[in-house]
């Protein structure tokens, strides 16, 4: 036909077949090891509460405490913006959303702590605390008052506390089953992991529990806390954390950086132990590369500077926390740990400002990409995934509203999800 090029080839079909056969194991390994983000909601933070301090109303109590702190130290949008350095355009929408969030859903992820925050107690006392935690968590889910994600942090698998950690996990999970079943938002955290073999051992422990109770294999996943130098760099110079993900036998859901244990392990003095220390940046960069594409999510650590005391001291702690959260977000650490109810206002202020200040630009770029329209940036499918993921995270936490996103992008949530999925949606 006139105007069409004549197509010529040289290779037999068998050549492509042989290449496909050669790479079949690689294709399978890529699909297994790098499935991409799971596409579910990721909480913006984790709050941990010592097991003996955990109560049925803990999330609400944290929210009320945070609201009282706002009333006392930043009673309106203008004063809050002045403390944090927010622009005039962001002041009202961020402040109103922070207050609404604290009233509606003050905690997104809660961990009942049986490790450092709880310490070593008599065996009977910890048994009772684990059984109590199971009952209260089950009741919270039944009443609809639980955060979207809730679980426990047990003691690590080092020899001195191994049996206690296993028993606490057993008491807690068995108690949940007896109270009606394992909730969908259940999260387990394994701290102070040093060797990949400890990750495998924990996975096998969960295997045994599932088999004992006739649960579907893989029902239970867990997070790993990276708190030791050996978890980042092994004795042979390899990145231990990358091996840990595979050692979890498809059960690892997250890597959480432990600010203070890790810093102390490297000899960082107490005054300089912080999430923005160069040692922390190195560890988190290794974690980030190891987790990329695996579906394992990342969480930053915490600051131990609490917003308590007179207004000047509270404002200084708020500015510090707000800056650390913003720094983490810019580095693609979309989750972090909060130590005190007073951290909630600045956690949400930083998160909401991060998504709102970039919202219009991201929405415009994604809309142009979807419409095959030109613009001042040449975006590709990978960027479209990042843009849609950014908007979805903003929607999930409450920084953005569905209507405003749809108005600027012309896309529904399902459209956004399809662009954000592994492989993306072609423009």
């Amino acid at each position: 036909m006139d105007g069409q090029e004549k197509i010529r080839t040289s290779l037999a079909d068998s050549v492509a077949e042989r290449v496909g056969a050669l790479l079949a194991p690689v294709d399978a390994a890529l699909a297994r090891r790098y499935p991409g983000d799971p596409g579910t909601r990721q909480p913006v933070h984790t709050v941990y509460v010592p097991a003996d301090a955990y109560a049925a109303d803990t999330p609400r109590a944290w929210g009320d405490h945070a609201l009282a702190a706002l009333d006392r130290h930043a009673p309106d949008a203008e004063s809050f913006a002045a403390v944090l350095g927010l622009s005039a355009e962001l002041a009202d929408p961020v402040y109103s959303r922070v207050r609404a969030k604290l009233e509606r859903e003050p905690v997104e992820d809660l961990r009942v702590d049986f490790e450092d925050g709880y310490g070593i107690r008599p065996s009977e006392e910890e048994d009772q605390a684990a059984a109590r935690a199971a009952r209260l968590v089950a009741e919270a889910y039944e009443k609809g008052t639980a955060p979207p994600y809730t679980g426990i942090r047990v003691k690590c698998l080092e020899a001195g506390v191994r049996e206690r950690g296993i028993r606490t996990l057993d008491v807690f999970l068995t108690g949940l089953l007896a109270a009606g079943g394992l909730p969908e938002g259940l999260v387990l955290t394994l701290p102070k992991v040093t060797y990949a073999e400890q990750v495998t051992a924990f996975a096998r422990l969960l295997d045994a529990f599932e088999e004992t109770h006739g649960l579907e294999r893989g029902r239970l996943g867990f997070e790993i806390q990276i708190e030791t130098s050996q978890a980042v760099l092994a004795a042979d110079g390899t990145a231990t954390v990358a091996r840990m993900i595979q050692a979890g036998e498809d059960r690892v859901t997250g890597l959480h950086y432990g600010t203070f244990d890790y810093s102390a392990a490297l000899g960082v003095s107490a005054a300089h132990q912080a999430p923005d220390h160069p040692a922390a940046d190195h560890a988190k960069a290794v974690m980030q590369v190891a987790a990329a594409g695996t579906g394992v999510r990342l969480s930053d650590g915490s600051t131990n500077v609490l917003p308590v005391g007179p207004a000047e001291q509270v404002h200084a702690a708020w500015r510090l926390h707000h800056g650390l959260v913003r720094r983490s977000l810019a580095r693609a650490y979309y989750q972090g740990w909060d130590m005190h109810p007073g951290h909630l206002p600045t956690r949400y202020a930083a998160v909401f400002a991060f998504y709102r200040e970039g919202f219009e630009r991201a929405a415009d770029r994604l809309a142009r990409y979807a419409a095959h329209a030109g613009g001042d940036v040449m975006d590709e499918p990978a960027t479209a995934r990042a843009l849609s993921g950014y908007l979805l995270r903003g929607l999930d936490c409450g920084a953005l509203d569905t209507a405003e996103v749809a108005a600027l992008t012309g896309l529904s949530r399902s459209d956004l999800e399809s662009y954000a999925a592994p492989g993306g949606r072609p423009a």
Side-chain angles (χ1 to χ4, degrees):
M1 187 179 296
D2 292 341
Q4 290 191 338
E5 298 287 344
K6 183 174 179 63
I7 306 301
R8 298 179 176 88
T9 62
S10 303
L11 298 176
D13 291 343
S14 60
V15 175
E17 292 172 1
R18 289 199 301 271
V19 171
L22 178 66
L23 293 180
V26 173
D27 295 339
L30 283 171
R32 184 180 72 255
R33 294 182 176 179
Y34 301 100
D37 189 84
T40 55
R41 176 183 179 181
Q42 180 180 8
V44 302
H45 71 167
T46 299
V47 161
Y48 89 87
V49 180
D52 57 329
Y54 174 63
D57 65 346
T58 290
R60 183 65 267 148
W62 273 56
D64 291 343
H65 184 120
L67 286 165
L70 277 179
D71 291 340
R72 187 178 309 114
H73 301 295
D76 53 45
E78 183 179 5
S79 59
F80 195 48
V83 171
L84 302 182
L86 297 176
S87 67
E89 294 76 15
L90 287 174
D92 284 327
V94 167
Y95 190 75
S96 62
R97 279 173 166 78
V98 168
R99 293 198 68 96
K101 181 75 170 181
L102 295 174
E103 291 166 356
R104 181 185 75 255
E105 187 183 70
V107 175
E108 292 196 1
D109 184 27
L110 186 148
R111 209 69 73 249
V112 183
D113 188 29
F114 285 90
E115 204 233 351
D116 284 349
Y118 183 72
I120 303 299
R121 309 287 183 97
S123 183
E124 174 61 23
E125 183 177 343
E126 185 158 338
D127 277 352
Q128 288 295 318
R132 174 178 170 274
R135 176 177 57 80
L136 292 177
V137 168
E139 289 176 359
Y141 273 101
E142 183 178 357
K143 294 176 181 177
T145 59
Y149 300 93
T150 305
I152 63 169
R153 178 170 73 167
V154 296
K155 291 178 172 62
C156 69
L157 290 184
E158 293 177 355
V161 294
R162 181 182 302 147
E163 290 187 8
R164 181 63 261 179
I166 293 172
R167 182 172 175 84
T168 296
L169 180 70
D170 188 9
V171 171
F172 178 73
L173 292 177
T174 303
L176 283 179
L177 285 178
L182 303 178
E184 285 302 315
L186 176 66
V187 188
L188 306 174
T189 303
L190 178 65
K192 293 182 175 60
V193 181
T194 304
Y195 285 87
E197 290 81 358
Q198 294 169 323
V199 177
T200 300
F202 199 73
R204 300 288 172 81
L205 177 62
L206 299 181
D207 278 340
F209 188 87
E210 289 168 349
E211 184 176 350
T212 298
H213 293 279
L215 300 173
E216 178 185 0
R217 190 195 178 282
R219 171 65 182 84
L220 293 166
F222 63 98
E223 305 164 335
I224 302 170
Q225 278 202 277
I226 305 302
E227 302 178 273
T228 68
S229 59
Q230 297 92 338
V232 174
L233 193 68
D236 62 1
T238 59
T240 318
V241 65
R243 297 208 306 271
M244 287 178 176
I245 292 173
Q246 304 306 318
E249 300 177 345
D250 300 324
R251 291 186 184 273
V252 178
T253 60
L255 301 175
H256 288 228
Y257 176 68
T259 303
F260 306 106
D261 283 278
Y262 187 83
S263 298
L266 270 62
V268 179
S269 62
H272 297 283
Q273 293 176 0
D276 58 351
H277 190 279
D281 285 342
H282 171 261
K284 288 183 285 188
V286 175
M287 292 165 58
Q288 192 168 40
V289 174
T294 65
V296 173
R297 287 166 164 173
L298 301 169
S299 176
D300 205 344
S302 60
T303 175
N304 59 0
V305 179
L306 305 184
V308 297
E312 182 178 351
Q313 187 171 322
V314 170
H315 289 172
W318 272 354
R319 281 191 290 271
L320 174 66
H321 184 244
H322 181 264
L324 290 171
V325 175
R326 285 300 306 259
R327 186 178 189 273
S328 293
L329 291 167
R331 286 159 174 76
Y333 268 73
Y334 298 113
Q335 184 176 352
W337 281 58
D338 289 328
M339 306 271 288
H340 187 273
H343 285 142
L344 298 185
T346 39
R347 168 67 61 181
Y348 291 124
V351 170
F352 293 168
F354 177 76
Y355 290 111
R356 292 209 64 79
E357 68 189 12
F359 161 51
E360 291 187 4
R361 178 65 168 158
D364 178 67
R365 287 176 65 180
L366 187 59
R368 288 179 176 276
Y369 177 84
H372 303 275
D376 58 350
V377 179
M378 183 179 293
D379 286 324
E380 298 182 351
T383 309
R385 287 199 300 275
L387 291 168
S388 54
Y390 173 87
L391 296 175
L392 285 168
R393 289 178 184 279
L395 287 169
D396 284 343
C397 69
L400 306 176
D401 300 327
T402 301
E404 64 180 346
V405 172
L408 289 190
T409 63
L411 302 172
S412 66
R413 184 181 178 102
S414 62
D415 292 328
L416 296 177
E417 290 171 345
S418 68
Y419 280 115
R425 175 168 137 186

